[in-house]
Amino acid sequence: MTAELLNGREIAKDYRAGLQSEVEKLKSQGIVPNLTVVIVGNDGASLSYVRSKNKAAEKIGMESSIVHLDEDTSEEEVLATVEKLNNDDKVNGILVQVPLPDQVDENKVLEAIAPHKDVDGFSPINIGRLYTGQRTFVPCTPLGVMELLKHTGSLEGKTVAVVGRSHIVGQPVAKLLTDQNATVTLMHSRTQNMVEQLKNFDVVVSAVGKPGLITGADLKEGAIVIDVGNTVVDEKLVGDVDFESAKEVASYITPVPGGVGPLTITMVLNNTLLAAKWHNEDK
Ligand code: NAP
């Protein structure tokens, strides 16, 4: 079998076109969704990621700005910046790019973002809402994974291995898959015989950050493979899955780059649009 490619760039393009027309509708009512991204320091990869979110927001007609703080900014100043954005009625979505410099406590800053502007969905309140089935911002990468999986058919009754249990990717992905009536096994670094077990699963979602962790020989014939992993090797971005061997066994597979990544940014826009809509509805 040669797998069908889940082309994240194409899927994201279609999804963004839908968002753009919703932005236009809101604008006709005088509402302009605004995404503001805070970055502390000058890390090249973070800066380029922030700029791409900014550009993507503007491309679909949203307002977007970057608050760029110096590397040596104190925790107090970062918190004051977040507070100012919380109180700015024009700002719908706030993202704080992580990692933050050592002098700034990341958890404190993420908790300081007003839950109704936390479009990354990382604040404890929004995580709690997700697990209790309430309206919330679902974290962007897990939402992107689910959007890709929509293109493979129903998940009902499928067995899924989610490899990686972080709070921002693996665990919310497992929760969202369970909501779709899949039967989910969450695997991690202490899972025994992880690779040998994978042959039992209809779907494998890998979110680890170890290139070559999973190869075609480990997969069930016809498995659906979503590779969230992002690791830079020899200046190239690679996933956790050995694409060449896996594509011969899988029914669907995401490439890296061009798979999950474009959907993650798209879901930042999706959540910003929701923030603007909800803010208007809840007035
Ligand atoms: P993380 O917090 O480092 O979590 C990695 C997870 O992998 C942990 O749960 C860890 O287990 C598990 N793990 C490590 N070695 C393993 C092994 N040999 N077998 C099975 N599980 C193993 O990472 P993250 O933030 O979730 O990100 C995961 C990957 O996704 C990274 O490559 C990251 O760059 C990428 N990512 C991509 C996007 C995107 O948009 N494409 C977005 C976010 C993240 P323990 O819990 O036992 O330590």
Side-chain angles (χ1 to χ4, degrees):
M1 172 175 286
T2 300
E4 196 171 312
L5 195 70
L6 286 167
N7 186 331
R9 290 194 182 106
E10 287 298 318
I11 294 170
K13 199 170 141 201
D14 290 347
Y15 197 101
R16 288 181 203 190
L19 292 177
Q20 183 163 3
S21 52
E22 290 208 49
V23 170
E24 278 157 18
K25 264 191 235 154
L26 279 184
K27 281 171 127 178
S28 70
Q29 299 162 35
I31 304 157
V32 186
N34 174 298
L35 172 70
T36 298
V37 189
V38 179
I39 178 160
V40 187
N42 294 308
D43 175 69
S46 293
L47 273 170
S48 103
Y49 196 44
V50 163
R51 285 191 193 115
S52 55
K53 287 173 189 167
N54 187 251
K55 231 168 82 188
E58 285 176 353
K59 214 168 160 193
I60 63 159
M62 290 180 173
E63 260 180 23
S64 180
S65 52
I66 299 175
V67 179
H68 191 168
L69 303 173
D70 289 340
E71 180 75 34
D72 59 1
T73 307
S74 69
E75 183 178 286
E76 261 180 1
E77 285 172 83
V78 178
L79 289 170
T81 303
V82 169
E83 192 53 24
K84 200 169 149 211
L85 297 173
N86 284 341
N87 294 323
D88 184 340
D89 221 30
K90 278 199 308 232
V91 175
N92 299 114
I94 304 170
L95 290 185
V96 177
Q97 185 66 33
V98 291
L100 290 164
D102 291 346
Q103 75 277 13
V104 185
D105 181 335
E106 209 164 284
N107 282 331
K108 253 193 193 170
V109 173
L110 295 180
E111 279 183 36
I113 301 172
H116 66 286
K117 297 191 179 190
D118 167 36
V119 289
D120 253 338
F122 291 164
S123 79
I125 288 184
N126 283 330
I127 292 171
R129 286 179 179 155
L130 175 68
Y131 283 89
T132 51
Q134 298 177 64
R135 187 182 84 173
T136 189
F137 299 112
V138 178
C140 300
T141 300
L143 205 51
V145 167
M146 297 309 289
E147 184 57 31
L148 286 163
L149 283 171
K150 270 192 199 158
H151 290 75
T152 69
S154 168
L155 288 161
E156 175 132 359
K158 291 213 166 89
T159 54
V160 186
V162 176
V163 190
R165 59 174 163 181
S166 73
H167 292 296
I168 61 167
V169 190
Q171 294 200 35
V173 165
K175 155 74 179 148
L176 297 173
L177 287 162
T178 307
D179 289 347
Q180 294 299 312
N181 299 322
T183 302
V184 183
T185 302
L186 191 54
M187 299 183 171
H188 45 78
S189 68
R190 311 290 175 91
T191 302
Q192 300 292 302
N193 307 317
M194 193 272 297
V195 166
E196 290 78 357
Q197 289 191 51
L198 289 182
K199 264 211 186 321
N200 299 318
F201 292 90
D202 302 320
V203 181
V204 175
V205 179
S206 187
V208 174
K210 292 213 163 131
L213 180 70
I214 298 165
T215 71
D218 309 321
L219 298 167
K220 180 175 173 177
E221 186 77 31
I224 297 166
V225 180
I226 308 289
D227 191 354
V228 185
N230 262 349
T231 309
V232 178
V233 178
D234 297 334
E235 295 178 24
K236 277 193 190 150
L237 205 59
V238 291
D240 296 337
V241 179
D242 175 52
F243 183 82
E244 288 308 315
S245 61
K247 81 174 189 336
E248 299 305 322
V249 182
S251 55
Y252 291 91
I253 189 166
T254 55
V256 178
V260 178
L263 266 304
T264 295
I265 296 186
T266 302
M267 294 307 158
V268 172
L269 309 179
N270 179 77
N271 286 354
T272 304
L273 181 77
L274 286 177
K277 275 190 184 168
W278 291 343
H279 179 66
N280 191 48
E281 286 165 14
D282 296 347
K283 262 185 195 165

